[in-house]
Amino acid sequence: MAQMSTQQPKSLAVLTSGGDAPGMNAAVRAVVRTALDQDMDVYAVYEGYQGMVDGGERIRKMSWDSVGGILHQGGTAIGSARCTAFRNREGRLQAARNLVTLGINSLIVIGGDGSLTGANLFRQEWPELLAELVEQEKISRETAERCSQLAIVGLVGSIDNDMFGTDMTIGADTALHRITEAVDAISSTAASHQRTFVVEVMGRNCGYLALMSAIATGADWALIPESPPNVDNWEEKMCQVLKVGREAGRRDSIVIVAEGAQDRNGNPISSNYVKKVLEEYLGQKARITVLGHVQRGGSPSAFDRYLTALLGHAAVLEILSATPQNEPQLIGIRENRIIHSPLMGCVEQTHAIAGVIAAQDYEKAMEMRGGSFKEAFRALRTLVRALPHPPTPGQKRLRLAVLHGGGPAPGMNTAVRAAVRLGIDNGHIILGINNGFQGLIDGDIDEMDWMSVAGWALRGGAELGTTRKALTGSDFYAIARHIEEHNIEGLLMIGGWAGYQAAYRLYSERDNFPAFNIPIICLPASINNNLPGSELSIGADTALNNIMEVVDKIKQSAVASRRCFVVEVMGRYCGYLALMSGLATGAERVYLHEEGVTLKDLQKDLAYLVDGFKHGKRLGLMIRNENANLFYTTEFMSALFEEEGGDLFDVRHAILGHLQQGGDPSPFDRIQATRLATKCVEFLIEEAGKTPAAGAFIGLQTGKVQFFNLEDFPRMVDSAHQRPIEQWWLELRPIAKVMAQPGPQSQEGVT
Ligand code: ADP
C-alpha cells in the first residue's frame, strides 16, 4: 500500500478534458478500480472542466460497475469539453466549491497540455479559492480545512503523441492503427489504377503520426514539421523519387503530410500544395485524402488498453503518496516502464518544442524529439528511395543472407524489407534463403533486389517461408557447403525459438565447421514473446490485437445469455499473450503456466463464478494460456464450470488457434521490425570479416535496442519451457488482478 499523507482519507475525482483520445475509457476504468481497491471514494467529473464548474449531476460517485463495459469503447464515456468558464477565476471558484462540498481533495486529469496547465493553475489557486469560499460563507471552515490542499496528477490523452514526459500518449497507438488501416486500403486501390495519393494526417507540431505511418505503410514520402526537406527544390526531388519509383515498377505513390508540415522557411506545406506539385511534375492526377477525425475514433488498440491500465493505476498510487509540498506529477511511459515527471516541466518542454519549430531551428527540434525519432526518420529516408545508391567504386560488397526460423510472425516481411533495402543501399548483396534453415540445407537461396520487397512492409505471413527445423549432424555439412558456395559473409535470422536454437547451434559448431565463422545475428520475431534479451518480439503486438478483437466479439455474443467463456490463447509456455490480452479485454482470470493451475484455484474460481452469477452477473471471461496446465485443459475447465455451475450459467470455450498468427502486422510491429532490422544489418556490416566472428541476438530492452552475445542464449532461457528466465511482464500481474476482481459491491463483475 502506498504511503498515506496527512489529509486522509482522500477522495478522488477523475476527468477527461480537451480533445478525446481512444484509451481514455481504459484510463478512467483503471483509476476508478484502483481507487476503490485503495478504499478511496472516487468520482467522475462528466464533460471535462465544464462538469466541474456545473457540479450537481455532473460529478458522480463511481462504483466498480459504473466503469464496466467501457474498455473497448473509443472516445470517452464520461465526456470531454473545451470550457471557457474554467479559464476564468470565477469558474474555478465555482469548480472548487463543487469539489470541496463533496470532500474531494485530489484530481486526476486526463488530457492534453492545455488541460494539464489548467489543472496546475487550479491547484496553485486552491487555498485562496477555499479561503474566498469560506469568506463568502459558501463552505464551512471545517470543510475547507478537510481539503486544504489539492493533489493533482496528469495523464496525457492525445492522439498526436506530442507531449514531453512520455514516449507514448494515450490514443497515439490507436491513431496509428487507424492511419495504417486507411493508408493500406488506399494503397491497394492506388496500386490497381497506378494512382498518386496525398494523405494528410494529424499533428500540428509533431510529426510522429506522419513519420511512423510512412514507415509502417511503406509510403513514398513524408513531410513533418520537425524536419522540413533540407533543400530548396524539395518539390522536384520528391517528384523525381516518385517518378523513378514508378519506372522501377512501383504501382502506387503515396505522400503522407502532417497537418503542421512546413518548409525550411516556415511556410506551411498543405496537402493541396503537394497535390498541385505532383500533378504539375508528373502530369497525372493526384488525389487527396484528409483522414481527419477518423484518426481519433474507434476502439482502442491493445496497447492503448493495457498501457492505460498501468498509467491509471500508477496515477492513483501517486495521489496517495503525494504530499502538499510535492510538485504535481505527470505519469507517462519511458523505455517501456511507467515514469513520473514534474507536470509543469513537461508542459513547458512541450511548448518549447513548438517554439523551436516556429523559430525554424529544426536541428534542435529533432534533438528534442529524441534518439528513436531521429533514427526512424533516417531509416525512412533510405526505405523510401526509389532505387538504391549505386555501390561506391572499389568498395567491398558483402554477401549477406537473411532467413527465418520458427513459426510465422506478422512483421517478418517488414523486417526483411528493411534489411534488404538498407543492405543494398550500402552497396552490399542480399541473399534470401527460402524455407528457413531447411532452405539453407537445400541451398534454396536467391539474390534479392530493391523491388523484390516492394509492398512487403504491410504484408502478414513470411514471404521467404519459415520452418521449425531443428538441426542435426548431417545438416551441418550441407549448410557449410552452401555457405561456402554462395560465399555468405553474414547471416541474419529473423524468427522465433527454433530459429534462435538453430543459430546458436551454428555458432557453437564453429570450431568444427570453419564456414560458420561468419557474423550471425538473430532478430526476435515470434507472437509468443518468449525470446531472451527482448521485452517485446515482433508479432506479439499483432497477435495481442488479434486476440483482443475476437474476444471483444465473443463478449458481445454472450451479452444475451448468462454465460462464462474460457478462451485459450497461444504463447507456448509463455503467458505474455494471456496476461496482456486479459488486461486488454477485461478478463477476470488468466491462467498462466508460470503460476500453474491447481484444483484449489479452479474451485475458488468456480465459487467466485457461482456467487457472481447468483448476484446478477451476466458474463464471465477467463483466458487460459495453451499450456497453463497439461491436464486441466481448456475443455476440462469448461466442463468443470459447466457442470458445477448448474442452471446458473452456461460455459463455452474458444480456442483461438492460428488466427492469432495471421493478419497484417500492427503499426508497432512494423515500426519495430524496421528499427531492429536496420540495426542488424549495420551489425553484420560492422562485424563482417572479423575473427572470431560475432554471434548475437538483438532486442528491445527497456525500450532501447540492445545486443546480446549468442553464447549467452542457453544461460538466459528456461529451455525446458522455451522462455526467458526473466520475464518483465510478470510484475504486472497484481495490477491485472486489481482491474479484474470486483469488490463485494459489484453486480456485473466482468469487463
Ligand atoms: P488539450 O487539453 O487537449 O490541450 P485545450 O487546450 O483545449 O485542450 O484545453 C482543454 C480545457 O482545459 C480548456 O477548454 C480549458 O477549460 C482548460 N484550460 C486550458 N488551458 C487553460 C489555462 N491556461 N487555464 C485554465 N484552464 C485551461
Side-chain angles (χ1 to χ4, degrees):
M1 173 90 93
Q3 188 201 337
M4 300 280 185
S5 78
T6 46
Q7 270 193 319
Q8 287 302 319
K10 288 199 174 183
S11 278
L12 168 71
V14 56
L15 80 155
T16 51
S17 171
D20 66 311
M24 280 181 160
N25 286 328
V28 171
R29 175 179 178 271
V31 166
V32 167
R33 293 193 171 175
T34 309
L36 293 173
D37 185 61
Q38 297 283 338
D39 290 327
M40 299 170 86
D41 285 334
V42 55
Y43 295 82
V45 180
Y46 283 68
E47 317 306 337
Y49 288 123
Q50 190 61 53
M52 217 152 88
V53 175
D54 296 345
E57 262 300 285
R58 290 196 157 175
I59 308 182
R60 287 184 222 160
K61 195 159 183 187
M62 304 300 272
S63 69
W64 176 275
D65 299 327
S66 39
V67 286
I70 61 169
L71 189 56
H72 66 285
Q73 289 174 11
T76 164
I78 61 172
S80 182
R82 312 238 186 230
C83 168
T84 321
F86 195 74
R87 289 186 183 271
N88 308 320
R89 196 169 189 282
E90 207 45 43
R92 295 194 291 275
L93 187 70
Q94 186 57 35
R97 182 182 178 188
N98 289 330
L99 293 189
V100 86
T101 310
L102 292 167
I104 297 168
N105 57 358
S106 51
L107 199 57
I108 294 179
V109 179
I110 308 167
D113 58 342
S115 306
L116 301 178
T117 306
N120 187 56
L121 180 63
F122 191 44
R123 171 184 174 269
Q124 284 169 344
E125 287 178 348
W126 181 263
E128 288 166 32
L129 295 174
L130 295 202
E132 196 173 326
L133 288 168
V134 171
E135 211 169 284
Q136 293 174 1
E137 295 184 358
K138 290 195 172 137
I139 60 169
S140 70
R141 194 165 296 280
E142 296 73 50
T143 307
E145 272 164 15
R146 262 204 314 275
C147 300
S148 60
Q149 302 287 340
L150 179 71
I152 61 166
V153 169
L155 296 182
V156 193
S158 157
I159 66 159
D160 294 352
N161 205 24
D162 53 355
M163 186 83 183
F164 198 87
T166 186
D167 287 349
M168 285 298 274
T169 56
I170 297 169
D173 184 62
T174 307
L176 262 186
H177 273 258
R178 293 298 97 81
I179 297 170
T180 45
E181 281 155 17
V183 178
D184 288 356
I186 288 171
S187 66
S188 63
T189 163
S192 308
H193 295 271
Q194 302 209 28
R195 278 183 177 143
T196 302
F197 274 86
V198 181
V199 180
E200 183 181 311
V201 302
M202 284 186 173
R204 238 169 282 146
N205 287 311
C206 183
Y208 177 85
L209 292 177
L211 171 59
M212 296 305 169
S213 62
I215 288 187
T217 58
D220 301 67
W221 199 264
L223 291 156
I224 63 171
E226 296 89 339
S227 187
N230 58 3
V231 284
D232 283 337
N233 63 339
W234 66 268
E235 293 94 335
E236 205 181 314
K237 218 177 141 202
M238 172 182 76
C239 293
Q240 190 60 25
V241 165
L242 266 62
K243 195 159 171 253
V244 177
R246 280 292 172 85
E247 284 161 9
R250 265 196 85 116
R251 295 188 54 88
D252 61 334
S253 307
I254 294 184
V255 177
I256 298 190
V257 188
E259 61 180 335
Q262 56 185 51
D263 67 18
R264 287 263 136 192
N265 305 316
N267 305 312
I269 301 178
S270 69
S271 34
N272 266 319
Y273 178 69
V274 177
K275 169 185 152 82
K276 207 172 110 238
V277 166
L278 292 172
E279 288 183 340
E280 271 170 21
Y281 193 96
L282 299 174
Q284 192 199 57
K285 208 169 159 41
R287 288 164 173 80
I288 298 180
T289 302
V290 180
L291 292 183
H293 282 75
V294 164
Q295 296 163 85
R296 243 183 227 299
S299 186
S301 67
F303 179 78
D304 272 326
R305 297 191 199 181
Y306 70 73
L307 170 72
T308 40
L310 311 185
L311 293 173
H313 183 263
V316 174
L317 298 190
E318 176 63 32
I319 289 279
L320 284 171
S321 61
T323 60
Q325 305 76 36
N326 281 152
E327 242 186 286
Q329 299 288 301
L330 179 139
I331 313 286
I333 179 175
R334 165 120 351 122
E335 299 174 351
N336 205 28
R337 294 292 182 279
I338 299 298
I339 54 149
H340 303 206
S341 326
L343 180 78
M344 284 321 286
C346 296
V347 171
E348 277 155 25
Q349 285 291 324
T350 304
H351 292 165
I353 299 185
V356 165
I357 294 171
Q360 296 162 34
D361 188 350
Y362 302 116
E363 214 164 293
K364 181 122 186 251
M366 287 300 271
E367 210 53 58
M368 290 171 87
R369 283 276 177 248
S372 54
F373 191 90
K374 264 171 45 184
E375 269 172 27
F377 191 67
R378 204 158 45 94
L380 179 72
R381 285 169 65 165
T382 303
L383 294 171
V384 301
R385 291 184 63 79
L387 285 173
H389 288 104
T392 320
Q395 87 164 99
K396 162 120 180 79
R397 297 191 73 196
L398 296 168
R399 293 173 64 82
L400 307 174
V402 50
L403 85 171
H404 298 308
M412 281 179 156
N413 290 327
T414 322
V416 173
R417 168 181 180 265
V420 167
R421 292 216 162 161
L422 188 75
I424 296 178
D425 196 49
N426 277 286
H428 305 295
I429 294 159
I430 306 291
L431 305 168
I433 301 169
N434 299 306
N435 293 321
F437 283 87
Q438 189 59 52
L440 193 51
I441 295 165
D442 301 340
D444 189 356
I445 302 169
D446 299 310
E447 184 173 336
M448 304 189 77
D449 67 27
W450 192 261
M451 289 310 286
S452 64
V453 289
W456 283 29
L458 51 130
R459 208 172 291 173
E463 292 291 317
L464 281 179
T466 182
T467 51
R468 291 206 173 82
K469 174 77 188 158
L471 302 181
T472 56
S474 60
D475 296 334
F476 294 123
Y477 291 97
I479 291 176
R481 201 175 71 240
H482 290 125
I483 288 180
E484 276 164 1
E485 267 173 19
H486 289 268
N487 192 16
I488 294 172
E489 295 168 279
L491 192 63
L492 166 59
M493 194 298 297
I494 300 166
W497 189 268
Y500 273 59
Q501 263 186 331
Y504 176 71
R505 293 291 313 271
L506 293 192
Y507 180 77
S508 34
E509 291 288 338
R510 291 186 307 174
D511 289 345
N512 299 329
F513 297 89
F516 300 165
N517 253 313
I518 54 172
I520 300 175
I521 188 156
C522 301
L523 185 160
S526 161
I527 67 158
N528 300 328
N529 201 28
N530 61 344
L531 298 165
S534 198
E535 292 182 345
L536 293 166
S537 59
I538 306 304
D541 183 60
T542 309
L544 207 48
N545 279 288
N546 288 345
I547 295 169
M548 187 191 76
E549 280 167 26
V550 179
V551 174
D552 281 353
K553 289 187 183 128
I554 286 177
K555 276 166 58 179
Q556 267 174 357
S557 80
V559 162
S561 47
R562 287 143 72 91
R563 181 166 286 175
C564 173
F565 266 100
V566 181
V567 176
E568 179 183 307
V569 300
M570 285 180 168
R572 299 196 155 224
Y573 289 95
C574 170
Y576 178 80
L577 288 179
L579 183 75
M580 300 313 254
S581 64
L583 260 173
T585 58
E588 295 152 276
R589 180 75 162 95
V590 290
Y591 297 99
L592 313 176
H593 181 269
E594 287 87 345
E595 288 182 334
V597 188
T598 65
L599 186 57
K600 229 187 213 157
D601 292 332
L602 295 179
Q603 280 172 325
K604 207 169 126 209
D605 295 340
L606 177 65
Y608 159 79
L609 284 174
V610 167
D611 188 56
F613 280 103
K614 254 189 205 155
H615 291 94
K617 179 185 181 72
R618 294 195 315 270
L619 167 69
L621 175 63
M622 327 296 250
I623 295 190
R624 180 185 174 279
N625 160 268
E626 60 185 347
N627 290 325
N629 184 301
L630 190 59
F631 300 102
Y632 302 151
T633 60
T634 302
E635 287 87 346
F636 170 82
M637 282 170 49
S638 308
L640 178 79
F641 294 156
E642 171 77 45
E643 175 63 14
E644 298 292 323
D647 293 337
L648 267 178
F649 59 98
D650 62 17
V651 182
R652 296 284 185 277
H653 67 266
I655 297 175
L656 300 190
H658 286 86
L659 71 82
Q660 296 163 83
Q661 275 180 338
D664 297 338
S666 69
F668 179 84
D669 280 334
R670 299 185 199 183
I671 293 161
Q672 297 306 336
T674 304
R675 184 178 178 200
L676 293 180
T678 306
K679 296 278 180 192
C680 285
V681 170
E682 283 168 0
F683 175 91
L684 291 179
I685 294 172
E686 174 80 25
E687 295 295 324
K690 290 190 188 164
T691 42
F697 47 99
I698 196 170
L700 291 165
Q701 202 72 18
T702 60
K704 292 196 195 95
V705 175
Q706 286 192 29
F707 294 88
F708 296 83
N709 197 326
L710 201 45
E711 210 163 82
D712 293 330
F713 174 69
R715 274 196 285 281
M716 289 171 72
V717 295
D718 167 356
S719 44
H721 297 115
Q722 302 195 347
R723 65 187 179 217
I725 289 170
E726 275 175 39
Q727 301 195 96
W728 65 278
W729 51 268
L730 284 170
E731 288 167 21
L732 308 180
R733 284 174 301 162
I735 303 176
K737 286 203 175 105
V738 170
M739 298 304 138
Q741 288 175 1
Q745 76 276 40
S746 163
Q747 293 300 301
E748 294 172 16
V750 77
T751 71

